[in-house]
Amino acid sequence: MTLAQVEATARAAHTGQTDKAGRPYAEHLSAVAEGVRARGGDEEQIAAAWLHDAVEDDALSAQWLREAGLSSRTKDIVLAVTKRAGEPPEAYAARILATPGALLVKESDLAHNADPARLAVLDEATRKRLTEKYARMRALLGLVG
């Protein structure tokens, strides 16, 4: 798949979904992909950024991912950043760190999730909970500053 096809697939898969602030979910995907690009990521990482929540959100199936015309590295990154039910954050972080290219995608995801402008529209309790959650994950991943 070309990067344009990956973007179109991700946008279509998440049609009708919104983020916690009520914004179209594709805006988050676009921001994460652009963040990967801005951080020096390659096309495989940018493709993974577009798809980073697709399996986790059941927007696309794991079988679709296995059969998709994507590099094995892109598929590995998507699976690495896909949270598993009941998985401790430490195990999730370890999988990301063990998968070449995944840390950059997760770093971009966390940066957008923790954007003060995005968090500002949430209620105080949710904003506090998410800020702490994202800070903890950054620490587990060794992303400081």
Side-chain angles (χ1 to χ4, degrees):
M1 295 177 75
T2 67
L3 207 46
Q5 290 170 320
V6 170
E7 176 182 346
T9 299
R11 286 181 180 277
H14 289 276
T15 297
Q17 287 184 336
T18 57
D19 66 12
K20 290 173 183 68
R23 302 290 308 156
Y25 204 77
E27 290 179 8
H28 172 64
L29 302 176
S30 178
V32 174
E34 184 51 40
V36 167
R37 183 187 320 275
R39 288 171 173 80
D42 58 33
E43 285 205 3
E44 291 174 318
Q45 289 169 302
I46 295 166
W50 276 107
L51 298 169
H52 79 276
D53 280 334
V55 175
E56 182 178 318
D57 292 349
D58 293 321
L60 295 169
S61 69
Q63 180 175 340
W64 177 90
L65 183 64
R66 281 191 299 276
E67 297 171 358
L70 299 164
S71 72
S72 59
R73 181 168 172 252
T74 295
K75 293 174 187 183
D76 288 346
I77 293 169
V78 172
L79 292 175
V81 300
T82 298
K83 292 181 194 131
R84 300 174 185 164
E87 181 177 38
E90 295 80 6
Y92 177 55
R95 185 173 64 253
I96 291 168
L97 291 170
T99 305
L103 181 60
L104 187 66
V105 174
K106 188 61 184 177
E107 179 182 15
S108 181
D109 179 38
L110 287 168
H112 189 247
N113 283 338
D115 181 335
R118 284 187 84 208
L119 292 171
V121 301
L122 304 175
D123 64 85
E124 186 176 340
T126 301
R127 185 171 51 249
K128 183 177 189 291
R129 178 181 59 80
L130 292 176
T131 298
E132 291 170 0
K133 174 184 168 184
Y134 302 145
R136 179 162 186 241
M137 184 53 59
R138 287 184 60 78
L140 287 171
L141 293 170
L143 300 171
V144 292

